[in-house]
């Protein structure tokens, strides 16, 4: 049980930081678009990476640093494009919760975007595969329980964020609130993009 609690606690602490993925989940939660699928894809992706880390895949990543390099530059390009798109949206869009004549993105497009936010972020590999994977070795035979705790933290966090975001929906009936959110998301995206190459 101690291993599970340790995994859950460490998993939550690593995922709490505001990043591109969390900002995306928050925004879609407010808009109430494909919330369940987005939360499930994010949590399942984390679970797969945590399983890989606990199973020893962290060692493989350390042996082939080119995997991290590819993720770093791919993530940089993706975050730059999405960040600039957020700034454009803050500047030009009308930002209504249910704008008439505008069709929400398809389920497939939403899934692909969610996967990009997750798998093109090199920090997710450092957190889930390498860090959680290395910590799990301290628990010996209880390592799988540690991993299960970390996986549970991801499911609890993403579904809480996605469905809790709708409580902010009344605030975002005002177009100015959307513009501010898009502006902040743009700042977060471009800041993360710069950090990927600077560190």
């Amino acid at each position: 049980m101690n291993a599970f609690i340790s995994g859950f606690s460490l998993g939550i602490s690593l995922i709490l930081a505001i990043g591109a993925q969390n900002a995306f989940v928050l925004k879609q939660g407010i808009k109430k678009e494909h919330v369940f699928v987005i939360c499930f894809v994010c949590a399942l992706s984390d679970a797969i990476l945590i399983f890989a880390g606990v199973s020893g895949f962290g060692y493989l990543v350390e042996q082939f640093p080119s995997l991290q390099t590819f993720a770093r530059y791919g993530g940089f390009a993706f975050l730059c494009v999405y960040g600039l798109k957020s700034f454009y949206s803050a500047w030009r869009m009308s930002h209504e919760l249910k704008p008439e004549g505008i069709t929400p993105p398809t389920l497939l497009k939403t899934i692909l975007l969610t996967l990009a936010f997750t798998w093109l972020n090199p920090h997710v590999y450092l957190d889930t595969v390498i860090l959680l994977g290395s910590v799990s070795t301290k628990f010996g035979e209880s390592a799988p329980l540690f991993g299960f705790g970390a996986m549970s933290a991801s499911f609890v966090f993403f579904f809480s964020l996605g469905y809790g975001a709708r409580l902010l929906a009344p605030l975002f009936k005002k177009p100015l609130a959307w513009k501010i959110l898009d502006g902040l998301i743009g700042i977060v995206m471009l800041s993360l993009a710069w950090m990927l190459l600077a560190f």
Side-chain angles (χ1 to χ4, degrees):
M1 191 63 181
N2 182 50
F4 177 88
I5 295 174
S6 297
F8 188 93
S9 301
L10 182 55
I12 281 288
S13 66
L14 290 174
I15 204 172
L16 273 177
I18 296 298
Q21 186 187 50
N22 294 351
F24 175 70
V25 175
L26 176 65
K27 183 175 181 178
Q28 296 305 113
I30 293 171
K31 295 167 71 175
K32 301 179 182 178
E33 292 179 359
H34 308 300
V35 179
F36 179 84
V37 172
I38 291 172
C39 295
F40 183 75
V41 169
C42 288
L44 181 62
S45 295
D46 267 10
I48 292 171
L49 289 168
I50 291 169
F51 176 79
V54 173
S55 300
F57 187 68
Y59 175 78
L60 184 62
V61 174
E62 290 179 333
Q63 297 303 308
F64 298 96
S66 58
L67 294 175
Q68 285 184 309
T69 301
F70 173 79
R72 175 178 296 177
Y73 285 101
F76 172 79
F78 176 76
L79 289 173
C80 280
V81 170
Y82 200 88
L84 293 174
K85 183 179 177 182
S86 293
F87 280 126
Y88 176 81
S89 181
W91 180 256
R92 299 297 298 265
M93 301 297 285
S94 61
H95 293 83
E96 297 176 9
L97 267 181
K98 294 293 183 180
E100 294 182 4
I102 298 181
T103 305
T106 63
L107 179 60
L108 177 59
K109 182 178 179 180
T110 299
I111 292 174
L112 292 176
L113 195 56
T114 305
L115 289 172
F117 271 117
T118 302
W119 295 88
L120 287 180
N121 177 14
H123 291 296
V124 76
Y125 299 100
L126 294 175
D127 290 345
T128 58
V129 180
I130 296 178
L131 182 56
L132 287 173
S134 61
V135 173
S136 70
T137 60
K138 298 180 180 180
F139 291 90
E141 294 182 355
S142 297
L145 197 57
F146 173 87
F148 182 67
M151 293 177 193
S152 300
S154 292
F155 277 90
V156 169
F157 175 81
F158 282 115
F159 278 94
S160 297
L161 179 62
Y163 284 99
R166 63 185 56 196
L167 298 176
L168 299 174
L171 173 64
F172 284 89
K173 287 180 180 178
K174 299 178 180 179
L176 178 61
W178 277 111
K179 289 179 179 292
I180 293 173
L181 178 64
D182 273 331
L184 291 175
I185 288 176
I187 292 172
V188 169
M189 302 296 177
L190 294 184
S191 297
L192 290 171
W194 178 79
M195 289 173 61
L196 285 181
L197 296 187
F199 299 100

